Amino acid sequence: MSHLKTDIAFGTRAVQEALNSGREIERILLQKGEHNDLFKEVVAEARRQHIPISTVPIEKLNRVTRKNHQGIIAFLSSVVYASLDNIIDECYQRGQEPLLILMDRITDVRNFGAIARTAECLGVHAIVIPDKGNARLGGDAMKASAGALNHIPVCREGNLKQSISYLKSSGIRVVACTEKADDLLPQQDLLGPVALLLGSEEDGISEAYLKLADAAVKIPMSGQIASLNVSVAAAIGLYEVIRQRNS
């Protein structure tokens, strides 16, 4: 994986080149309204590659760049996405017990980077994210991760519900970290293949994902504040997995 120097491509030709070259694209912003045939061809190719697309007013595009964007801007990724299937298969082939992080709408780039840094340090095999609603993995995320995103695979999945079901069918327990849980983290058996599910900074884990999880745990706390920063919660949860594995 390599750090890309350019975070955006703008204009139909530049975006077309990015699509044709195989560059990883986070998402594309399109200006509302009618466009020419080349523009439509570029959009069709982006959809064929399953790249998230948002149609927005021109003011939003102008906030990204005042240069001649021609109504289209592509946000380029600083990571090369990995296949979740391949990650799981490789773990089992090497005789390892998979350890994964699932992120449900972690939007703060500093939180994302901090989680990636901790995950890489503790030997997590991959981070799994939805294709929409998460922090953009540009240069800021790479910097916040202290370069960890160069080393830990990131899997971008179109449907996190399907991914959770796939993990469960692959023998991996999905454990949700949430203050809404009744069970305490240290009391949960975290041995064996595990995927820790972390939720949005705003409203936590989506109810649909909580229902699919094999277990839900909360971190014991005795202070007045009822919740932890999600990157801190991720570190504590991962450390508990490693502690149990090494006991």
Side-chain angles (χ1 to χ4, degrees):
M1 300 179 190
S2 61
H3 185 180
L4 306 177
K5 292 181 180 179
T6 304
D7 275 336
I8 64 171
F10 53 88
T12 49
R13 293 289 183 188
V15 174
Q16 182 183 50
E17 178 60 29
L19 288 165
N20 294 341
S21 69
R23 290 283 292 271
E24 295 283 358
I25 297 177
E26 285 289 310
R27 62 191 174 102
I28 291 176
L29 298 184
L30 303 179
Q31 181 182 332
K32 293 179 180 178
E34 290 296 318
H35 299 283
N36 60 33
D37 290 342
L38 175 59
F39 185 98
K40 292 174 182 176
E41 288 176 17
V42 172
V43 173
E45 176 60 22
R47 291 199 168 108
R48 190 189 69 79
Q49 295 186 27
H50 305 291
I51 295 168
I53 296 173
S54 299
T55 303
V56 299
I58 190 172
E59 290 80 10
K60 185 163 185 177
L61 294 164
N62 289 342
R63 285 197 294 271
V64 177
T65 178
R66 297 296 298 184
K67 295 180 181 179
N68 184 20
H69 50 66
Q70 298 175 312
I72 184 168
I73 296 175
F75 292 92
L76 307 177
S77 175
S78 287
V79 303
V80 176
Y81 292 111
S83 162
L84 181 58
D85 296 11
N86 290 344
I87 295 294
I88 302 305
D89 289 346
E90 288 172 7
C91 282
Y92 284 134
Q93 287 172 12
R94 292 195 296 259
Q96 297 175 336
E97 294 182 331
L99 175 56
L100 306 169
I101 286 282
L102 301 174
M103 294 194 193
D104 172 24
R105 298 166 298 128
I106 305 296
T107 57
D108 187 293
V109 69
R110 292 164 297 182
N111 281 335
F112 195 107
I115 293 170
R117 184 176 185 178
T118 300
E120 201 284 326
C121 288
L122 293 181
V124 171
H125 293 103
I127 294 169
V128 184
I129 61 173
D131 62 6
K132 294 180 181 178
N134 51 277
R136 190 168 67 83
L137 303 190
D140 289 342
M142 182 66 70
K143 183 177 180 181
S145 77
L149 285 169
N150 281 316
H151 305 289
I152 186 167
V154 178
C155 306
R156 183 169 67 176
E157 299 293 301
N159 189 317
L160 209 55
K161 287 178 69 175
Q162 290 181 2
S163 301
I164 291 172
S165 297
Y166 167 72
L167 292 175
K168 292 170 67 173
S169 69
S170 301
I172 300 171
R173 292 181 68 236
V174 176
V175 179
C177 295
T178 170
E179 67 271 15
K180 300 173 185 176
D182 294 322
D183 295 338
L184 296 178
L185 174 67
Q187 297 170 349
Q188 182 67 222
D189 182 357
L190 298 172
L191 297 176
V194 169
L196 289 183
L197 173 59
L198 304 167
S200 159
E201 297 96 337
E202 297 297 324
D203 55 9
I205 300 170
S206 301
E207 194 64 33
Y209 302 151
L210 278 176
K211 290 178 180 177
L212 287 173
D214 294 295
V217 297
K218 64 181 177 182
I219 295 168
M221 290 182 285
S222 56
Q224 298 300 309
I225 298 176
S227 64
L228 291 166
N229 174 278
V230 66
S231 65
V232 174
I236 294 170
L238 287 173
Y239 176 78
E240 179 60 22
V241 175
I242 301 304
R243 186 194 68 79
Q244 291 190 20
R245 287 185 172 188
N246 293 337
S247 293

